[in-house]
Structures are given as structure tokens and as C-alpha cells.
Amino acid sequence: MSGVCREVITLQLGHYSNFVGTHWWNLQDASLSYDPESPLAEIQSDAVFREGQTLGGQVTYTPRLISMDLKGSLRTLRQEGNLYDPGAGSSAVPWEGSVAMHRQSPPQKNSFLEDLEKLDKGEILAEAAFCSASQLRRTGAVSVDAFNSQLARLQKNYRLEGSVAVWSDFLRIHLHPRTVTVIHQFNHDGEAHRLEAFGQGESVLQGAPLDELEDKLHFFVEECDYLQGFQVLCDLADGFAGLGSKVTELLQDSYGGRGILTWGLAPVGHRDSSPVRDLYHLLNCALGSAHMAAHSSLFCPLTLRGGLGRRPAPPPQFPLLTYDPALWYHSSSVLALALDALTVPYRLRNNGAPMWQVADSLAVSGRKVVAAYGAVPFPMMPGGSLPDALSACSDALPWKPLSACPEGGDGRCYGQWATLRGFEGQELISRPSPGIKPQTPLHTLHSGEDVLAAYVSSFYPSAPLALQLVSSPSKLTPPFPQIFSPSLDAQGFLRSLAPPPGAPSPPISSVPVLTSLQSGPALHPWLSELHRSASAFDIRRLAPSFLSQGPEMADYQEALEDLRLLARCYRDDSSGAMRSSSEEEDDD
């Protein structure tokens, strides 16, 4: 089915998931292309975007997306969006009772949103650097490809670190009126009515909210010709873990023949953290992982935390990034860059792999939890070759953990899917002069796929491996944060010469990224530790309120048992190595 568009419906559940999702959609918008000869056309944008029309006949291009968040989380964003006039065609009914006036100042927009509003009003040219490609599609002002070629010259550098409070503060694109759902019984800010516990999230999806979700799902599903499945981004550490468990169960029951790829998101830290809330976060992660893994084709935690327990290790250090892990605006951008590559296989225009194939290649023998790793960005020299870049990493793999799960280091892996995105302008193979001896065995190979496969297999000799190589990089447009090392040039490649001290760094317009999805024995200690931490105390004594709105104690214990059994699926005794007594006890 090469060239056939297999549609994907995205669900974003929770505030941090919407942070990651907003960056991800901004990246997709920056890479939109309608020229089949363009390198950007490798990605099938119509897989995740939909075309529609306003009541006035204006063409729109919006994400095929359902987003759920709490009361007070939108700030300046209207729930129904700005593409349609919700009052158009309706007749006003006069009110004859008394009227009380309450004046409230609207939230202040940052500089990026102010410029975006001027663009919509026609006060500034559509060619301005902050204009989105989908807006150009909607207005027809200039071709998207022409706009993208101008972007590097026109890029306006926004510094929003101090002004981003919610995800809509850096949203570039318009959303469909059916996209956003606000859960009004819980507040985004403040101490009262917070969605903190798994059972609270489960209780949300009933009655009117359930009907609303089903209506939105039917709307997006019915307009698809070849729906391949759903990608679900769900907060893992708060009450949205319970909501996500119910949503994935609904998807499994209603659309069981489709792929369900669930990404469990967790920030490095939370505001107003406390020992009790840290305990809640641990329990939500444990229950959410067990339930969403059971209801999904594949489940992958995504986080820059060093672990999901109460005392995690420090976040991973990326050599070419200068990001602040505690800042949601930064950490979510790193995860979005990785997710842009991780989701490439089922978004390719040609020679891609549908969701079910990705899941089936990794979720073998009940192992539906996978771990993600990423080199963000992947270090490449301009004008160099893939063998040169990989041979420079011969001692250790260049990627870092993105699932709080360190690699095992023993070369054992049940399955792996590696994706390299962004080698545009680079040679995939070495082309030495006649008579020159190849530097490494990688320099003797005759295709980029062979080069990458040989490199990964040198660390995982017997693991099944699937590969995707995509020429076009992840395109960065404002307001993506400039979190990159000064040693990178504007295209995200390593500079041949170090910049002078104090020299300003050029705005980075694109980056290459290398990612890996893995199923292997490394997940056994990770899942076992999550189970052990959640089972180590008496919840009825230390956190009785956690169960006040569900689940029942029997259901809670059953979920922990499911997590323990899930961990056992990843136990590998083939090496004959002695296991620790704590591992033995946990498996009993």
C-alpha cells in the first residue's frame, strides 16, 4: 500500500502530554509539503492532518486530534478554536431577567501570540517568520515550500522561557472545534479540586464526558478511508493515568482491529510537590503502566526523569543540548523531537510500516512495554558520511534513555526499531579514493541501511532489528526553544571549528535525530522496581485518600499483580548469570 494514506488519530490526555503534543504538532506544521518532489514529502502529512472547510467555504488544515485538559488550562485559547464563528447562523434569544456584569481582564498574551494574532487579522505579512505552514495552506498567501525555504532568513527569535504557563502559549496552529475537551470538575491551578489520583481519572469518563468523547471519535473516524490506528499521549503521574486507562480500554473495545500506540508522559518535576503527592505520582505511574499496557498494542513511557520512583536518578545529559530539565517548555521540546523520529515508520509516504506492524515486531510473547532512546540531536559533520558519524561513536551508542530505563549493556534485546532522521546533504556510504584502505568495516558497506544495521548489531549481535532512514530533518520554527549547543551550525550539524568564546550562536533551523524503540531484558529490573516501590507500603494507612474514588482494594492489588507478571515477561535467564535475591523475591 505504498503511497496510500493510512490515517492516524491522536489523543492528548493531560497537561504535560499537551506540552509535548504542542511541540510535536509545531514540528509537523513546519514540515508540511505539497510538492511530491520535495524532500519533506517523505512524510505523509495527511496521515495526521485533515482538510476541511468553514461555513464560508474557506479551506482549513487541522490536526486529527482530540485533546483533554482541566479547567483553567487554556488561558488565551478558545475551546472551540478560532477557525469557526460559534455564533454564526444562530439566533439570539432575548433575556428578560436581571443582568449582573462582572469585568475580568483577559490573560496577557506573550510576544509570539501577539504576532500570531496580528497575522490572523492581516496586520502583518503572511511571509513573517512565525507564520505556520497550515496557515499558509489556509490563506494561500505563498507556497509552503517557498515559505520553508525563506524561513531560515526570516526567523524571529522568541525567548518564551519566562512567559509560557500553559501549552497554548506556544501553539502555532489552529485546532478543529471538536479537538479540545475541558474537564470542568477539576482545576488546573490551585489546591482545590485537583486531578491527582488514578481513581479520580477513571471516574471522569462516564455520562456526558464519555458521550462527548465517543462523538468526537466517531467524527474523526468516519472521515478516514484507511484508519491505521490511534497514537495516545497520556500523563502518567497524575489522575490522567486513570483517564488514559479508560480511554485506551474504550479504543480497544470499539476499534480492536486498529493499532493503539500509547506514550506515557511524565515531567522531570511537578509544581507544589510534597511527600504525599510524590507517593501519588508513583502509584499513578504503576497503575497507569499496568492498565494502559494491557489495553494498547504497544506502551512506551516517555520521560527525562532518571526513574519513575520517589527518588529518581538525575535526568540524562545530552552533549549537544543546553536545556533546563525542570522547565516543561524545554523538556517537552526534547521529547517532541524524539517522538517526531519515533513515529516516522507509520507516517512515511512510501515504504513505511503501519502501526500494527511496528507493534507486532516488538510486542512478542506479551511484552507490550518498550523503552525509547534518542540521540537528540545526532552528531554529524556537514559534508561527512554516516560511516564517519557512527564510527566516531564506536565505544558507546550515542543515544540516551527517554523512558527512565537504562540499557542493559549486555547486548541482549528481543527486538528493536531504529530510526535516523535528518541526514539531508550527507553521504550514507563512504566513497574512498581508489587504493585507499577503508577506515572501518562500516566504510566498506554499500547502503545506508547496511551501515546503520551493522553499527547497531555490533552492540546487539543477535537482536531482530528494523530500520527507517529519512533524509529530511526535524524542522524547527519559532517558538521552538533554542536549547542547542554553540558547537552546532544552523542546520544542526557539528561545526568544523569551535566558535570563538562569547560568539552568538546561530538560530538552529533543523536537527538530525537518531532514536530506538527496544524490547529487552533491561525492562525487567525497571518494571520490577516500579512494582516493588508501589507494593512496599500499606496504602490504606499511608495514603487512604488515594482509594477514596477508586479503584477498589481488590482491583488495586490485581493491577500490581499484573505489573509483576508483566515484569516477568522480560526476565532473561539465557545468560546463566546469578540473579540477586531481591529479583528472586520479586518474581515469586
Side-chain angles (χ1 to χ4, degrees):
M1 293 180 64
S2 293
V4 173
C5 180
R6 304 183 184 96
E7 298 94 345
V8 176
I9 296 174
T10 303
L11 294 93
Q12 294 166 194
L13 313 175
H15 204 62
Y16 191 66
S17 292
N18 279 302
F19 260 76
V20 175
T22 297
H23 278 304
W24 190 84
W25 286 109
N26 288 349
L27 291 171
Q28 308 319 304
D29 178 77
S31 297
L32 282 176
S33 177
Y34 311 106
D35 178 3
E37 302 301 320
S38 169
L40 294 177
E42 291 175 291
I43 303 297
Q44 179 76 278
S45 297
D46 287 341
V48 293
F49 282 93
R50 60 176 299 281
E51 187 174 292
Q53 277 191 340
T54 65
L55 295 176
Q58 187 180 44
V59 175
T60 63
Y61 205 55
T62 54
R64 194 176 289 108
L65 167 68
I66 297 173
S67 168
M68 302 183 75
D69 213 328
L70 306 180
K71 179 181 178 182
S73 63
L74 302 183
R75 295 191 79 233
T76 60
L77 178 68
R78 292 167 56 184
Q79 182 176 345
E80 65 277 5
N82 296 315
L83 286 180
Y84 299 79
D85 181 3
S90 63
S91 58
V93 178
W95 172 254
E96 298 179 354
S98 59
V99 176
M101 299 292 291
H102 299 275
R103 184 180 300 275
Q104 184 177 6
S105 299
Q108 185 176 359
K109 294 185 176 182
N110 58 42
S111 57
F112 167 72
L113 293 180
E114 288 176 347
D115 286 344
L116 210 58
E117 184 177 27
K118 292 176 183 177
L119 172 66
D120 278 340
K121 293 179 178 179
E123 297 176 8
I124 53 180
L125 294 177
E127 289 90 345
F130 45 80
C131 178
S132 73
S134 57
Q135 285 173 318
L136 293 178
R137 168 70 176 246
R138 183 165 55 87
T139 62
V142 296
S143 75
V144 174
D145 291 333
F147 166 74
N148 283 329
S149 67
Q150 300 169 8
L151 195 57
R153 299 193 303 271
L154 298 173
Q155 192 166 149
K156 186 172 180 180
N157 193 15
Y158 295 93
R159 296 291 182 180
L160 303 183
E161 280 76 5
S163 61
V164 168
V166 298
W167 51 270
S168 60
D169 286 337
F170 57 96
L171 178 68
R172 284 172 55 95
I173 59 179
H174 285 295
L175 302 178
H176 190 272
R178 291 179 182 262
T179 283
V180 177
T181 294
V182 175
I183 302 171
H184 289 281
Q185 61 262 50
F186 294 100
N187 294 325
H188 168 64
D189 290 316
E191 290 295 318
H193 304 293
R194 296 170 59 142
L195 186 60
E196 294 185 305
F198 184 89
Q200 291 176 308
E202 284 189 309
S203 67
V204 167
L205 209 61
Q206 54 186 338
L210 176 60
D211 294 339
E212 181 181 358
L213 174 61
E214 289 179 329
D215 288 344
K216 291 183 175 184
L217 282 171
H218 292 158
F219 171 80
F220 286 114
V221 167
E222 288 172 2
E223 66 180 12
C224 295
D225 294 323
Y226 298 98
L227 176 66
Q228 60 171 306
F230 306 85
Q231 57 180 14
V232 181
L233 281 64
C234 181
D235 284 11
L236 196 56
D238 58 23
F240 275 100
L243 175 62
S245 298
K246 286 296 185 181
V247 169
T248 51
E249 183 179 10
L250 171 65
L251 294 177
Q252 185 184 52
D253 291 342
S254 303
Y255 309 98
R258 314 296 182 181
I260 305 171
L261 268 57
T262 302
W263 310 89
L265 279 300
V268 172
H270 292 79
R271 293 174 300 173
D272 306 325
S273 184
S274 68
V276 172
R277 284 176 178 154
D278 288 345
L279 179 58
Y280 274 36
H281 296 158
L282 168 64
L283 298 176
N284 290 326
C285 287
L287 297 180
S289 297
H291 282 273
M292 284 188 277
H295 300 144
S296 304
S297 308
L298 208 63
F299 173 75
C300 180
L302 277 184
T303 182
L304 295 179
R305 286 172 62 94
L308 295 181
R310 299 171 69 183
R311 296 177 181 85
Q317 296 295 317
F318 295 86
L320 298 177
L321 294 182
T322 57
Y323 78 111
D324 180 356
L327 197 62
W328 285 23
Y329 178 53
H330 280 188
S331 65
S332 59
S333 70
V334 177
L335 294 178
L337 269 177
L339 194 63
D340 188 36
L342 290 166
T343 57
V344 155
Y346 54 85
R347 296 189 293 118
L348 284 176
R349 187 178 299 274
N350 296 301
N351 303 317
M355 282 183 167
W356 64 262
Q357 185 176 336
V358 175
D360 285 355
S361 66
L362 295 173
V364 179
S365 301
R367 304 183 187 109
K368 294 202 291 183
V369 179
V370 294
Y373 304 87
V376 185
F378 176 58
M380 299 185 74
M381 294 292 294
S385 69
L386 182 58
D388 291 338
L390 293 175
S391 60
C393 308
S394 59
D395 294 334
L397 288 158
W399 51 57
K400 303 294 182 181
L402 300 174
S403 299
C405 179
E407 288 183 282
D410 54 7
R412 293 180 295 161
C413 187
Y414 305 131
Q416 183 171 183
W417 202 293
T419 301
L420 172 62
R421 178 167 194 187
F423 57 84
E424 191 174 53
Q426 311 296 300
E427 291 285 352
L428 287 177
I429 59 175
S430 177
R431 302 183 188 276
S433 302
I436 302 298
K437 182 180 179 180
Q439 300 176 32
T440 69
L442 295 179
H443 290 77
T444 67
L445 302 174
H446 302 294
S447 73
E449 288 79 4
D450 289 344
V451 171
L452 184 56
Y455 173 75
V456 175
S457 296
S458 68
F459 293 90
Y460 294 96
S462 60
L465 175 65
L467 298 172
Q468 291 285 2
L469 275 70
V470 178
S471 172
S472 60
S474 295
K475 295 288 186 179
L476 310 181
T477 49
F480 195 93
Q482 290 295 315
I483 55 175
F484 302 98
S485 165
S487 60
L488 297 179
D489 65 16
Q491 285 70 48
F493 296 122
L494 293 170
R495 294 190 188 186
S496 56
L497 297 175
S505 302
I508 308 298
S509 60
S510 63
V511 290
V513 176
L514 174 65
T515 59
S516 171
L517 273 181
Q518 297 182 19
S519 173
L523 281 156
H524 173 251
W526 183 86
L527 288 166
S528 294
E529 177 59 30
L530 185 60
H531 167 261
R532 192 160 43 240
S533 299
S535 306
F537 56 88
D538 184 353
I539 188 174
R540 287 169 292 194
R541 183 173 63 86
L542 294 179
S545 59
F546 185 84
L547 300 176
S548 60
Q549 296 190 44
E552 297 292 336
M553 189 63 192
D555 295 332
Y556 170 79
Q557 293 173 335
E558 181 181 355
L560 292 184
E561 175 64 11
D562 290 342
L563 187 62
R564 186 185 72 85
L565 295 175
L566 183 62
R568 292 192 65 179
C569 293
Y570 296 86
R571 190 179 68 188
D572 189 347
D573 296 325
S574 60
S575 65
M578 294 294 292
R579 297 191 297 139
S580 68
S581 60
S582 61
E583 286 179 300
E584 296 284 359
E585 292 172 1
D586 190 69
D587 289 338
D588 290 339

